[in-house]
Amino acid sequence: MPHDMAGVSLRDMANAIRALSMDAVQKANSGHPGMPMGMADVAAVLFSKFLRVDPTKPDWPNRDRFVLSNGHGSMLLYSVMHLLGFPEMTIEEIENFRQLDSRTAGHPEYGHAAGIEATTGPLGQGITMSVGMALAERMLAARFGDDLVDHYTYVFCGDGCLMEGISHEAIDLAGHLKLNKLIYFFDDNHISIDGDTKLSTSIDQKERFEAHGWNVFEVDGHDPDAIEKVIVEARKSDKPAFVACRTIIGYGAPNLQGTDKVHGSALGKDEVAATRKNIGWTSEPFVIPEPITAAWHKAAEKGREAREAWEKTCEAAPNKAAFEAQYATTLPENLADLMAKARADIVTEKPKVATRKASEMALEVINGASDLTIGGSADLTPSNNTKTKGLEDIKPGEYAGRYVRYGIREHGMAAVMNGIALHGGFVPYGGTFMCFTDYARGAIRLSALMGIRVVYVMTHDSIGLGEDGPTHQPIEHLAIHRATPNLLLFRPADAVETNEAWEIAMGETKRPSVMALSRQGVPTVRSGSVSENQTRKGAYLLKDPGAVRDLTILSTGTEVEIAVEAARQLEEKGLKVAVVSMPCWELFEEQDAAYRKSVLGSAPRIAIEAAARLGWDRWIGEDGRFIGMTTFGASAPAPEVYEKFGITADAVVEAAGEMLRQ
Amino acid sequence: MPHDMAGVSLRDMANAIRALSMDAVQKANSGHPGMPMGMADVAAVLFSKFLRVDPTKPDWPNRDRFVLSNGHGSMLLYSVMHLLGFPEMTIEEIENFRQLDSRTAGHPEYGHAAGIEATTGPLGQGITMSVGMALAERMLAARFGDDLVDHYTYVFCGDGCLMEGISHEAIDLAGHLKLNKLIYFFDDNHISIDGDTKLSTSIDQKERFEAHGWNVFEVDGHDPDAIEKVIVEARKSDKPAFVACRTIIGYGAPNLQGTDKVHGSALGKDEVAATRKNIGWTSEPFVIPEPITAAWHKAAEKGREAREAWEKTCEAAPNKAAFEAQYATTLPENLADLMAKARADIVTEKPKVATRKASEMALEVINGASDLTIGGSADLTPSNNTKTKGLEDIKPGEYAGRYVRYGIREHGMAAVMNGIALHGGFVPYGGTFMCFTDYARGAIRLSALMGIRVVYVMTHDSIGLGEDGPTHQPIEHLAIHRATPNLLLFRPADAVETNEAWEIAMGETKRPSVMALSRQGVPTVRSGSVSENQTRKGAYLLKDPGAVRDLTILSTGTEVEIAVEAARQLEEKGLKVAVVSMPCWELFEEQDAAYRKSVLGSAPRIAIEAAARLGWDRWIGEDGRFIGMTTFGASAPAPEVYEKFGITADAVVEAAGEMLRQ
């Protein structure tokens, strides 16, 4: 065993990970010791010999990215961060593993400590976000040169990540795009929770990755010399690199290693003691021998030097300011003016367009004003209207473009966008049909949980898509997004609101937005001054009858047109009717009670939305009516589908009649 | 070109598919002609030479299953069904393609016509359901012998299906289980909606499938002889078979074939005319020349003969009655008694158990009483408590067991369960963590849309899972399922309600159920008589204060215990408090208004549920209070997480004080 630094071997450095991990899990009596102990040797080599991170400046733009995709092995990451000296990752945090308000959550949580590059735990997300990071790195390099941007993205993953379907989407896209600075380390330990992986898979991972355009390497995951050699090779790969590390899960625990018993439970007092003896670890729990700490700090020191050298390069670079603005994703100052001007044009011209088309109109303004945005679609470009003029495709080996052909990979697209946003430098947006947010749910949830700016362009947002039928007609999807914390769902009624929604989404740096956009055309319902962004209030009186109100009709999106028509008919009968457009419930909830009350009023309320009722009772009250969907949709031209399900102005008028007679 | 029947060539038969497809899409001015025209030759050979279906008895148990996974090519299926003579698939239906209330929806809809084996359209679902069908076939054969059960499962799929992540889960599991009577025909046309597939993928599908344990075949998809030969070979495969059919999308349309223009739009009048000329099709739209119809009917005749021969075999089989009961999934008559008896035992013993454990207790009764159930888990068997005593694993080549090791493949598991249920003969249930229903959403939605009996055993259903933290703590997931039409979400409060939920789920043949089950223990809150299944009413007065009520506390699942404790504290203060347990909102909504009113009462209401608020306003009214989650969760021991988010009896008591003071 080689002793690299002050007589400390890489195995000693790895054993520090093992000890911290098993002791933290033991103290919490909760967690997963098997993976950190099994991958400790690989981690020790990777972090001490290759990984360029600097604990004194963890957010250095050109640092290598490290993603622990098998997030249940979080103690590996926390151990390494502590050993390297990340200031937030104190020994107290390690001791408080999985305890309330600690930085050391059960799974790595982005934002808990600088150095945690992504939230992982739901399997397969990390390996896919890393594709986005590696792509962002190449896209930045294409713009600013390899002097400023030139780092690797390293990923640990396990059987779970590679069994999940999203892994296919990730590796197919990464292989296609030839992201050769992306390196996966596969913890090939043959064990999952249920037992031997042979219970459920017979795959040849090496052949699989080769088929997807990766270079494949194999190594004994407990042989530091071999690990070092293989990383040297993997870094030279002309394709993304897959390094299968043959490991023993829970390596070091003499009686339990190699079994599913070490996967997800504490080793137990006796086995912890036996492991100490077995690996020759004499320190008390949470105490690291000084020479080992020194060796790890020395590794960190190399990161600091690399960072300082890079900063010098950056200082001297002529495009420094541009790079910094790009990396910080600073929006152009005139964007608000440009958006308002576009709104003014819409109000003048009053186009009848689908809101997906209105979204394209808004994107023309945004993409023209700024090159921060990276567009894309999961193979529905002509339907999602996501590719504006002049946006060139990103291609294998050519990363100067601004449009990603994500392929028919909704989940992969969402997770890759998360990775792009996490990396820094870009604001990603991507399109598919609203119904297929189902496929992307796992990654959309992570956008919200991590609190990052990703914009989902979800067109064909209701039964209004017509002939494609129930499989393609969203019913529950608005509710799904409304129920998700820290996520904005916009369902704009016309081209003005669509513009406003985009303006808000671009400015929301700490939460993702989902745009629910129509296939079918809608008239411009807004009029008058559009200098103020009304959508920012979430809901507003589109039609205000003044002091006296007999009825309030609440609606969103394409049904606002119906609400307006119903109001017109009811007014002909002499009623005073308010129409409320509610493009974003979440923003409306954030308004003060007085504003909310002024909008909702105290008159009887009817809501109309071509979707499930769930959630509407909050706005219509106990005596209110809801006109919407109670079943799945139907395949037919859109007007007939609306008629079939009774989502019509007539239905509103009838309901109003019943309510007001009572 | 060979002329097989009465001078009609296979190409003629294929051209009938082409003509019907292009004419139907043209008439609807909506739909996807490219795939049916491209795969028409493969379909003509497969259906006329191999596929055993009988239009006169479309639900014959031992028929071959055919799944059109690239469901947008629905006109291929409808054309073939019409040509074979399926009675429901009249020429009028073909003419009404994509029109209201026709059987010929935009995408194939299960239940619209006998012969449509599955709802497809969301890509990748069909190829995965077919794995379930092929597995069900082998499982039935293991029980009743190859004389009674011995059919193939044939699947058409396109690039989209194979790009979707779920395809990885499907083919990995099928390869592992050696389902050698499953045959995929890949429409290898190099075109997707955005254009050439080279825009987004560089995969080697053949190498990929080989890595997953499949045998791979290639064929010119426009050469009937070669197609016939390759099918003969594929049927002999000792592994699942992947047949890559090199085709030209829109084959026959002289100016547009081979381009993305024929993928998803009508050809247009001129190109339809040009195609007629090009393929020598002289008939008017929707008219099939008699000799071609005769050739197709002759193919159907072979199916009828095969069915009749099978029926004779079946008549003579000693296990005929058992087979028929199994295939019809007839539950044992004494199941209700056994479940009620188990409930009586629970009420006597009053165990404090997690509802996931209670689910295992219910499953012990069900699985002991009937061998219709097929259990499984996405690699969380010890956590989901899905494997009851005596359930043996299903293994590669050994299909007598009743437990599927689905691997870390939630989406695959759900879609495979859909396939098992569609095939007939079994009631599938499968487990994962509630949070990871996110990954399975696409297939859960299809369970609901198709209206089939699949039971999702979703444990760790709230922040109560504790240390694993926000990525594993469901917040919006109860709302997601409640918003989904035709799906029952059960969140039982104790072992009695869990038993009741299972009893209901087993009897619901036309809709799926999701069980939201706890990690943490809960006391038995029910007492008294349990002969009547209270959960059947969806919600009921767990604690009824009688005629006078000061307050009603509504709750579900693990929070019912908190509601009961809060009620106790409030009663000490002299208040009359009702506690309502609401294990299934959907069933409660189906009760009459009088019952609902009797449960909800007219006193102020507080709801407590460790989840998102969305939907609760329906039950608490405008002045009600909701105690639950407004953000994502946190990693810590469960009691501390509850305390942190204020989901406590104290919070209920405090809210009650505020409400009643007003």
Side-chain angles (χ1 to χ4, degrees):
Chain A
M1 197 61 61
H3 287 62
D4 277 33
M5 305 162 196
V8 173
S9 71
L10 285 161
R11 175 55 56 82
D12 294 333
M13 293 173 76
N15 282 342
I17 299 172
R18 292 192 171 95
L20 286 174
S21 297
M22 75 174 177
D23 287 336
V25 173
Q26 185 65 30
K27 186 171 179 213
N29 195 26
S30 173
H32 301 72
M35 179 280 195
M37 297 176 76
M39 285 294 279
D41 294 311
V42 178
V45 176
L46 177 66
F47 275 85
S48 69
K49 302 250 173 186
F50 298 96
L51 208 89
R52 292 191 313 183
V53 291
D54 177 9
T56 69
K57 198 161 182 186
D59 60 352
W60 164 42
N62 197 37
R63 69 192 181 276
D64 287 334
R65 302 302 194 272
F66 175 78
V67 178
L68 188 87
S69 190
N70 36 5
H72 52 273
S74 56
M75 269 312 303
L76 182 141
L77 179 61
Y78 303 149
S79 297
V80 168
M81 286 173 66
H82 172 70
L83 291 164
L84 286 169
F86 279 76
E88 293 172 320
M89 198 54 74
T90 62
I91 197 69
E92 289 74 26
E93 292 290 348
I94 303 285
E95 291 187 61
N96 277 321
F97 179 53
R98 290 183 160 233
Q99 302 309 304
L100 195 64
D101 298 330
S102 73
R103 298 184 191 278
T104 47
H107 294 78
E109 297 285 342
Y110 178 70
H112 276 213
I116 299 174
E117 301 281 7
T119 294
T120 53
L123 295 171
Q125 297 293 334
I127 55 175
T128 316
M129 287 189 275
S130 72
V131 174
M133 292 177 184
L135 177 59
E137 190 264 349
R138 283 296 84 198
M139 293 192 297
L140 276 180
R143 285 154 181 75
F144 298 96
D146 279 8
D147 283 352
L148 286 192
V149 187
D150 178 23
H151 70 76
Y152 283 87
T153 301
Y154 299 103
V155 185
F156 278 13
C157 63
D159 287 291
C161 292
L162 299 187
M163 278 200 211
E164 291 287 2
I166 193 174
S167 67
H168 169 58
E169 305 185 17
I171 70 176
D172 198 12
L173 186 61
H176 171 68
L177 290 175
K178 296 198 189 305
L179 298 173
N180 68 319
K181 294 171 76 185
L182 174 64
I183 305 179
Y184 284 5
F185 295 88
F186 168 39
D187 182 14
D188 187 14
N189 61 28
H190 297 202
I191 294 292
S192 70
I193 289 175
D194 271 14
D196 194 297
T197 52
K198 284 279 169 245
L199 281 172
S200 59
T201 187
S202 308
I203 198 168
D204 182 331
Q205 292 287 8
K206 298 185 288 290
E207 189 180 2
R208 174 195 181 195
F209 273 81
E210 279 165 359
H212 287 74
W214 289 54
N215 283 324
V216 172
F217 304 85
E218 289 179 87
V219 70
D220 173 353
H222 301 299
D223 178 344
D225 284 343
I227 295 164
E228 183 172 351
K229 283 200 192 89
V230 84
I231 296 175
V232 168
E233 290 306 309
R235 285 163 50 101
K236 293 183 205 155
S237 172
D238 59 342
K239 301 175 180 177
F242 176 73
V243 183
C245 307
R246 185 68 183 93
T247 60
I248 295 166
I249 191 170
Y251 189 76
N255 307 300
L256 297 179
Q257 67 181 16
T259 74
D260 53 289
K261 292 191 178 60
V262 295
H263 184 282
S265 328
L267 298 183
K269 228 172 118 182
D270 293 348
E271 185 73 358
V272 166
T275 304
R276 281 195 141 63
K277 201 168 163 191
N278 186 43
I279 66 174
W281 190 264
T282 54
S283 301
E284 290 300 297
F286 310 111
V287 175
I288 307 296
E290 172 48 33
I292 293 179
T293 298
W296 276 99
H297 284 180
K298 201 160 169 181
E301 184 63 18
K302 287 194 294 182
R304 190 168 68 80
E305 287 162 11
R307 190 258 305 165
E308 286 169 352
W310 177 85
E311 280 178 349
K312 269 184 203 146
T313 308
C314 195
E315 280 304 321
N319 51 0
K320 174 174 184 282
F323 172 78
E324 286 175 348
Q326 174 103 31
Y327 187 72
T329 60
T330 311
L331 293 173
E333 279 176 19
N334 65 341
L335 186 59
D337 289 345
L338 292 170
M339 296 299 278
K341 188 183 167 308
R343 287 199 292 276
D345 290 346
I346 294 165
V347 169
T348 307
E349 291 161 21
K350 295 208 166 296
K352 176 163 181 166
V353 291
T355 52
R356 61 177 168 146
K357 177 67 186 169
S359 168
E360 185 182 356
M361 290 156 57
L363 277 170
E364 292 283 3
V365 178
I366 293 165
N367 290 345
S370 163
D371 57 4
L372 292 173
T373 42
I374 297 294
S377 165
D379 196 50
L380 286 169
T381 298
S383 297
N384 300 145
N385 296 56
T386 35
K387 195 164 190 274
T388 59
K389 282 188 289 288
L391 252 54
E392 296 295 328
D393 283 354
I394 289 154
K395 293 175 188 161
E398 297 172 35
Y399 309 105
R402 290 175 61 192
Y403 196 79
V404 184
R405 299 287 186 169
Y406 285 107
I408 301 143
R409 308 182 184 104
E410 298 81 9
H411 203 179
M413 174 174 74
V416 167
M417 290 201 292
N418 284 342
I420 292 171
L422 288 169
H423 183 278
F426 300 102
V427 179
Y429 69 85
T432 183
F433 287 170
M434 174 59 85
C435 229
F436 304 136
T437 53
D438 282 350
Y439 280 44
R441 256 299 294 167
I444 296 174
R445 185 174 209 254
L446 277 192
S447 309
L449 177 54
M450 293 189 288
I452 56 178
R453 180 171 44 183
V454 172
V455 186
Y456 294 94
V457 184
M458 303 290 114
T459 70
H460 298 59
D461 71 346
S462 78
I463 54 168
L465 71 77
E467 291 90 341
D468 273 343
T471 54
H472 287 50
Q473 291 170 350
I475 302 295
E476 66 273 40
H477 300 80
L478 303 179
I480 289 174
H481 296 109
R482 287 169 179 157
T484 304
N486 200 44
L487 180 147
L488 300 179
L489 173 76
F490 294 96
R491 190 161 189 256
D494 69 0
V496 173
E497 284 190 6
T498 306
N499 167 306
E500 292 175 333
W502 265 109
E503 185 184 13
I504 298 165
M506 288 300 295
E508 287 279 344
T509 59
K510 299 287 185 199
R511 48 185 172 180
S513 298
V514 174
M515 304 285 176
L517 302 169
S518 74
R519 177 190 182 213
Q520 72 272 35
V522 284
T524 300
V525 292
R526 275 277 282 286
S527 57
S529 168
V530 286
S531 55
E532 196 189 345
N533 184 327
Q534 295 284 353
T535 299
R536 221 177 268 290
K537 292 186 268 182
Y540 63 94
L541 280 163
L542 179 67
K543 200 186 126 2
D544 184 354
V548 181
R549 251 198 240 183
D550 297 314
L551 181 77
T552 301
I553 309 175
L554 310 167
S555 192
T556 77
T558 41
E559 285 72 72
V560 172
E561 175 187 9
I562 300 174
V564 169
E565 168 60 18
R568 194 192 58 76
Q569 292 183 23
L570 289 164
E571 286 185 336
E572 282 183 0
K573 302 184 184 193
L575 294 170
K576 304 281 190 192
V577 182
V579 175
V580 176
S581 181
M582 305 187 74
C584 183
W585 289 14
E586 297 75 32
L587 292 177
F588 186 55
E589 284 176 32
E590 290 172 11
Q591 306 305 308
D592 62 40
Y595 177 73
R596 288 206 309 269
K597 195 161 171 52
S598 75
V599 171
L600 296 174
S602 51
R605 278 166 269 164
I606 299 174
I608 179 165
E609 182 174 69
R613 176 187 189 122
L614 203 84
W616 270 106
D617 291 86
R618 175 142 185 196
W619 311 122
I620 59 176
E622 211 154 3
D623 301 318
R625 295 287 187 101
F626 174 70
I627 293 168
M629 296 295 292
T630 58
T631 64
F632 290 105
S635 168
E640 294 174 39
V641 182
Y642 270 84
E643 200 65 46
K644 175 184 173 79
F645 293 108
I647 301 175
T648 61
D650 286 353
V652 176
V653 170
E654 192 183 321
E658 288 169 15
M659 291 173 85
L660 298 177
R661 261 198 304 279
Q662 281 167 0
Chain B
M1 196 62 60
H3 286 62
D4 277 34
M5 303 161 198
V8 173
S9 71
L10 285 162
R11 175 54 58 81
D12 294 333
M13 292 174 76
N15 282 342
I17 299 173
R18 292 192 171 95
L20 286 174
S21 298
M22 74 173 178
D23 288 336
V25 172
Q26 185 64 30
K27 184 169 182 217
N29 194 25
S30 171
H32 300 73
M35 180 280 195
M37 297 177 76
M39 284 294 279
D41 294 312
V42 178
V45 176
L46 177 66
F47 276 84
S48 68
K49 301 250 175 187
F50 298 97
L51 207 89
R52 292 190 312 184
V53 291
D54 178 9
T56 68
K57 198 161 183 187
D59 60 351
W60 164 41
N62 196 38
R63 71 191 180 276
D64 287 334
R65 301 303 194 271
F66 175 78
V67 178
L68 188 88
S69 190
N70 36 4
H72 51 274
S74 56
M75 268 313 303
L76 181 140
L77 179 61
Y78 303 150
S79 298
V80 168
M81 286 174 65
H82 172 70
L83 292 164
L84 286 169
F86 279 76
E88 293 172 320
M89 198 53 74
T90 61
I91 198 69
E92 290 74 27
E93 293 290 347
I94 303 285
E95 291 188 61
N96 278 320
F97 179 53
R98 292 184 160 231
Q99 302 310 304
L100 195 65
D101 299 330
S102 74
R103 298 183 190 278
T104 46
H107 295 78
E109 298 285 342
Y110 177 70
H112 275 213
I116 299 174
E117 300 282 6
T119 295
T120 54
L123 294 172
Q125 298 293 335
I127 55 173
T128 316
M129 288 189 274
S130 72
V131 174
M133 293 177 183
L135 178 58
E137 189 263 350
R138 283 296 85 198
M139 293 193 296
L140 276 180
R143 284 154 181 75
F144 297 96
D146 278 8
D147 282 352
L148 287 192
V149 186
D150 178 25
H151 70 75
Y152 283 87
T153 302
Y154 298 103
V155 185
F156 278 12
C157 63
D159 287 291
C161 292
L162 299 187
M163 277 199 208
E164 292 287 1
I166 193 173
S167 67
H168 169 59
E169 305 186 16
I171 70 175
D172 198 11
L173 186 61
H176 172 68
L177 290 175
K178 296 198 190 305
L179 298 172
N180 68 317
K181 295 170 76 184
L182 174 64
I183 304 179
Y184 284 6
F185 295 88
F186 168 39
D187 181 14
D188 187 13
N189 60 29
H190 297 202
I191 294 293
S192 70
I193 289 174
D194 271 14
D196 195 297
T197 53
K198 284 279 170 245
L199 281 173
S200 60
T201 187
S202 308
I203 198 167
D204 182 332
Q205 292 287 8
K206 297 185 287 291
E207 189 180 2
R208 174 196 182 194
F209 273 80
E210 279 165 359
H212 287 75
W214 289 53
N215 282 325
V216 172
F217 305 85
E218 289 179 87
V219 70
D220 173 352
H222 301 300
D223 178 343
D225 285 341
I227 295 165
E228 182 172 352
K229 283 199 191 87
V230 84
I231 297 176
V232 168
E233 289 307 310
R235 285 163 50 100
K236 293 184 203 154
S237 171
D238 58 342
K239 302 175 179 178
F242 176 74
V243 183
C245 309
R246 186 68 183 93
T247 60
I248 295 166
I249 191 169
Y251 189 76
N255 306 301
L256 297 178
Q257 66 181 18
T259 74
D260 54 289
K261 292 194 178 57
V262 293
H263 184 283
S265 328
L267 298 184
K269 228 172 118 180
D270 293 348
E271 185 72 358
V272 166
T275 304
R276 279 195 143 63
K277 202 168 163 189
N278 186 42
I279 66 173
W281 191 263
T282 54
S283 302
E284 290 301 298
F286 309 111
V287 175
I288 307 296
E290 171 49 31
I292 294 179
T293 298
W296 275 101
H297 284 180
K298 200 160 171 180
E301 185 63 18
K302 287 194 293 183
R304 191 169 68 80
E305 287 161 12
R307 190 258 304 164
E308 287 170 350
W310 177 85
E311 281 178 349
K312 270 184 201 145
T313 308
C314 196
E315 280 305 320
N319 52 359
K320 174 175 184 279
F323 172 77
E324 286 174 349
Q326 174 102 32
Y327 188 71
T329 60
T330 312
L331 293 174
E333 278 176 19
N334 64 342
L335 185 59
D337 289 345
L338 292 170
M339 296 299 279
K341 189 184 169 307
R343 287 200 293 276
D345 290 347
I346 294 164
V347 170
T348 306
E349 291 161 21
K350 294 205 166 299
K352 176 162 182 167
V353 291
T355 52
R356 61 177 168 148
K357 177 68 187 168
S359 168
E360 185 182 355
M361 289 156 56
L363 277 170
E364 292 284 5
V365 178
I366 293 164
N367 290 346
S370 164
D371 58 4
L372 292 173
T373 43
I374 297 292
S377 166
D379 195 50
L380 287 169
T381 298
S383 298
N384 299 144
N385 297 55
T386 34
K387 195 165 191 274
T388 59
K389 282 187 289 290
L391 251 55
E392 297 296 329
D393 284 354
I394 289 154
K395 293 175 189 161
E398 298 172 33
Y399 309 105
R402 290 175 59 192
Y403 196 79
V404 184
R405 299 287 187 170
Y406 284 107
I408 301 144
R409 308 184 183 103
E410 299 81 8
H411 203 179
M413 175 175 74
V416 167
M417 291 201 292
N418 284 343
I420 293 173
L422 288 169
H423 183 278
F426 300 102
V427 179
Y429 70 84
T432 184
F433 287 170
M434 174 59 85
C435 229
F436 303 136
T437 53
D438 282 348
Y439 281 44
R441 256 299 295 167
I444 295 175
R445 185 173 209 255
L446 277 192
S447 308
L449 177 53
M450 293 190 286
I452 56 178
R453 180 171 44 182
V454 172
V455 187
Y456 294 93
V457 184
M458 303 290 114
T459 71
H460 298 58
D461 71 346
S462 77
I463 54 168
L465 72 78
E467 290 90 342
D468 274 342
T471 54
H472 286 52
Q473 292 170 349
I475 302 295
E476 65 274 39
H477 300 80
L478 303 179
I480 289 173
H481 296 109
R482 286 169 179 155
T484 305
N486 200 43
L487 180 148
L488 299 179
L489 173 76
F490 293 96
R491 190 163 188 254
D494 69 359
V496 173
E497 285 189 6
T498 307
N499 166 305
E500 291 175 334
W502 266 109
E503 185 185 13
I504 297 165
M506 288 300 294
E508 287 280 345
T509 58
K510 298 286 184 200
R511 49 185 171 180
S513 298
V514 174
M515 304 285 175
L517 302 169
S518 73
R519 178 189 183 215
Q520 72 271 34
V522 284
T524 301
V525 292
R526 275 278 282 287
S527 56
S529 168
V530 285
S531 56
E532 196 189 345
N533 184 328
Q534 295 283 353
T535 299
R536 220 176 268 288
K537 292 186 272 184
Y540 63 94
L541 280 162
L542 179 68
K543 200 184 125 3
D544 183 354
V548 180
R549 252 199 241 184
D550 297 313
L551 182 77
T552 301
I553 309 176
L554 311 167
S555 191
T556 78
T558 42
E559 285 71 71
V560 172
E561 175 187 9
I562 300 174
V564 169
E565 168 59 19
R568 195 192 58 75
Q569 291 182 26
L570 290 164
E571 285 186 336
E572 282 182 0
K573 301 183 183 192
L575 293 170
K576 303 283 188 192
V577 181
V579 176
V580 175
S581 182
M582 305 189 74
C584 183
W585 289 15
E586 297 77 30
L587 292 177
F588 186 54
E589 283 176 33
E590 290 173 9
Q591 306 306 308
D592 61 41
Y595 177 74
R596 288 206 308 271
K597 194 161 172 55
S598 76
V599 170
L600 296 173
S602 51
R605 278 166 270 164
I606 300 174
I608 178 164
E609 181 173 71
R613 177 187 189 122
L614 202 84
W616 270 106
D617 291 86
R618 174 143 187 195
W619 312 122
I620 58 177
E622 210 154 2
D623 301 319
R625 295 287 187 100
F626 175 70
I627 294 168
M629 297 295 293
T630 58
T631 64
F632 290 105
S635 168
E640 294 175 39
V641 181
Y642 270 84
E643 200 66 45
K644 176 184 174 77
F645 292 108
I647 301 175
T648 61
D650 286 353
V652 176
V653 170
E654 193 183 320
E658 288 169 14
M659 291 174 85
L660 298 177
R661 261 198 305 279
Q662 281 168 355

